[in-house]
Amino acid sequence: MPLQCGIVGLPNVGKSTIFNALTKSHSAEAQNYPFCTIDPNVGVVAVPDPRFDFLVDIVKPKSSVPVAVEFVDIAGLVKGASQGEGLGNKFLDHIRKVNAILHVVRCFQDENVTHVSGKVSPQQDVEIIELELILSDLDQVDKRLQNLNKKKKSGDKEALEISEVLERVFALLKEGKPASQANLSTDEKNLIKDLALLSLKPVLFIGNIDESLLAQPENSPEFRELQRVAKDRGAQAIALSGKIESEIGQLSPDEEKEFLADLGLKEPGLNRVIREAYTLLGYITFFTAGEQEVRAWNITSGSLAPQAAGTIHSDIERGFIRAEVTPFTAVKEFGTQKKAQEAGKMRLEGKEYTMQDGDVVYFRFNV
């Protein structure tokens, strides 16, 4: 199940710098001019998870596979992107293909780094990007509604259901509000899933702040402004310094610990970005652990045991008998999975069991 987050924002806000730090690479150009990124760069990053590390340490398997998130560095959007400005249509199409959006917003002052609007204003920057997504969606929804009219007249039930959802979305978009404010149910979102509406995608705001304020981002007036903007949209804002994260990426593990301690930080800001991006996509993690392999698996929150089994192999889902579930907390408490099971912490769960984050599972099946 691919987990893909698109990194978006205006030109020169630090997207490519942050992408390079996230992926510990230099594949994305990071220069002081608009559109230095044209084609999207893609990097795969493991989700930091101490539970996974603990299981690997105690089991010592022949191989280990963590959950990963794919990050896509998308070129900077500008005002008028929905009408094709700055190769906007091409860039918007890149966003349409990802599951969630990481919106990087400039929250630092530096006269040596050009700002496309001439001044640093997080609220204005967010509104520029947001409006382009809304305008693109408005065009998409309008075209689909027109195509559905003929089917509606013939009494097509599905066309009527889709139209009802899209009309609610269209009304919001015309008011300049994102489709996410329509509060659609999962079933309603599935009805219009093929449209891949940009303003319906979950968003995490990343404030790129001055490195001197990294330990106390609340002292940055620009970041405080971004926090207010994010709160109004029911979203989160995370502060980090693209410059500092780039430097951390060049250090050895021991050097990194010392560097972070000097800054008054417990971990790189990007670790939190990776975890929040994973949560933003609505996923939880379960584990399988054996001598051959310890592996973390991602599933949608609310998934039942057979569905989780299906992420491993379709045959396991088809022939599902039961799940032997040991909570990770019990494994950690007793030191090993075997000791936790001997202490009676392992449960036998059937087809109606809803998987919980951190479950360590062995599936019984027969095909």
Side-chain angles (χ1 to χ4, degrees), residues 41-71:
N41 297 290
V42 180
V44 179
V45 181
V47 177
D49 192 332
R51 301 171 303 180
F52 175 76
D53 297 336
F54 180 87
L55 290 171
V56 171
D57 285 343
I58 64 170
V59 176
K60 295 180 173 51
K62 292 181 180 179
S63 66
S64 58
V65 184
V67 163
V69 177
E70 197 171 89
F71 290 96

Side-chain angles (χ1 to χ4, degrees), residues 25-274:
S25 72
H26 300 282
S27 58
E29 285 191 66
Q31 300 294 336
N32 183 24
Y33 55 86
F35 312 123
C36 67
T37 302
I38 303 297
D39 294 318
N41 297 290
V42 180
V44 179
V45 181
V47 177
D49 192 332
R51 301 171 303 180
F52 175 76
D53 297 336
F54 180 87
L55 290 171
V56 171
D57 285 343
I58 64 170
V59 176
K60 295 180 173 51
K62 292 181 180 179
S63 66
S64 58
V65 184
V67 163
V69 177
E70 197 171 89
F71 290 96
V72 184
D73 180 32
I74 297 169
L77 295 173
V78 294
K79 189 174 182 179
S82 56
Q83 278 77 49
E85 291 294 326
L87 300 178
N89 288 329
K90 182 178 180 181
F91 299 159
L92 288 169
D93 186 52
H94 295 324
I95 302 173
R96 205 172 299 284
K97 295 174 183 176
V98 301
N99 307 104
I101 294 172
L102 303 187
H103 188 163
V104 179
V105 182
R106 178 171 168 176
C107 293
F108 65 88
Q109 301 285 346
D110 187 341
E111 60 184 21
N112 295 315
V113 180
T114 306
H115 190 290
V116 291
S117 301
K119 66 173 183 177
V120 177
S121 171
Q123 180 168 341
Q124 179 179 297
D125 290 0
V126 168
E127 289 173 349
I128 288 173
I129 297 292
E130 192 172 66
L131 180 60
E132 296 308 320
L133 303 186
I134 289 169
L135 290 174
S136 178
D137 284 349
L138 191 64
D139 183 55
Q140 289 272 105
V141 173
D142 187 34
K143 288 177 180 176
R144 178 59 60 85
L145 282 171
Q146 290 181 38
N147 290 336
L148 287 169
N149 279 336
K150 292 181 180 178
K151 293 182 179 179
K152 282 169 59 181
K153 291 175 181 177
S154 67
D156 187 306
K157 185 179 179 181
E158 185 181 34
L160 288 167
E161 291 177 346
I162 296 173
S163 292
E164 185 179 331
V165 174
L166 288 180
E167 282 164 4
R168 283 165 52 199
V169 171
F170 190 67
L172 272 174
L173 295 172
K174 283 201 298 184
E175 294 176 11
K177 298 177 182 178
S180 57
Q181 291 189 15
N183 297 318
L184 302 180
S185 67
T186 301
D187 288 342
E188 289 172 330
K189 287 179 182 178
N190 286 334
L191 278 174
I192 61 172
K193 186 177 180 179
D194 65 310
L195 281 172
L197 297 180
L198 303 176
S199 67
L200 191 58
K201 295 180 184 294
V203 179
L204 174 65
F205 293 99
I206 301 174
N208 191 5
I209 68 172
D210 188 277
E211 59 265 31
S212 64
L213 298 173
L214 192 54
Q216 295 178 307
E218 65 276 4
N219 290 339
S220 164
E222 293 86 5
F223 183 65
R224 290 199 302 271
E225 182 180 322
L226 179 61
Q227 285 180 307
R228 290 194 295 271
V229 171
K231 186 177 181 181
D232 288 344
R233 288 154 178 77
Q236 281 198 4
I238 294 175
L240 56 79
S241 164
K243 183 178 178 182
I244 292 295
E245 298 296 332
S246 293
E247 292 178 16
I248 291 173
Q250 308 303 313
L251 303 175
S252 68
D254 288 341
E255 289 172 331
E256 179 181 306
K257 287 181 182 178
E258 186 177 342
F259 186 63
L260 289 170
D262 289 342
L263 291 171
L265 301 173
K266 294 181 179 179
E267 64 176 356
L270 290 176
N271 280 14
R272 187 181 172 201
V273 170
I274 295 167

Side-chain angles (χ1 to χ4, degrees), residues 330-357:
V331 176
K332 187 171 184 182
E333 179 185 352
F334 290 93
T336 69
Q337 186 176 2
K338 183 179 179 181
K339 288 179 180 178
Q341 292 172 347
E342 290 171 348
K345 299 299 180 180
M346 188 265 281
R347 307 186 310 272
L348 299 180
E349 301 287 359
K351 293 181 178 181
E352 300 305 313
Y353 174 66
T354 301
M355 297 290 292
Q356 301 299 305
D357 187 45

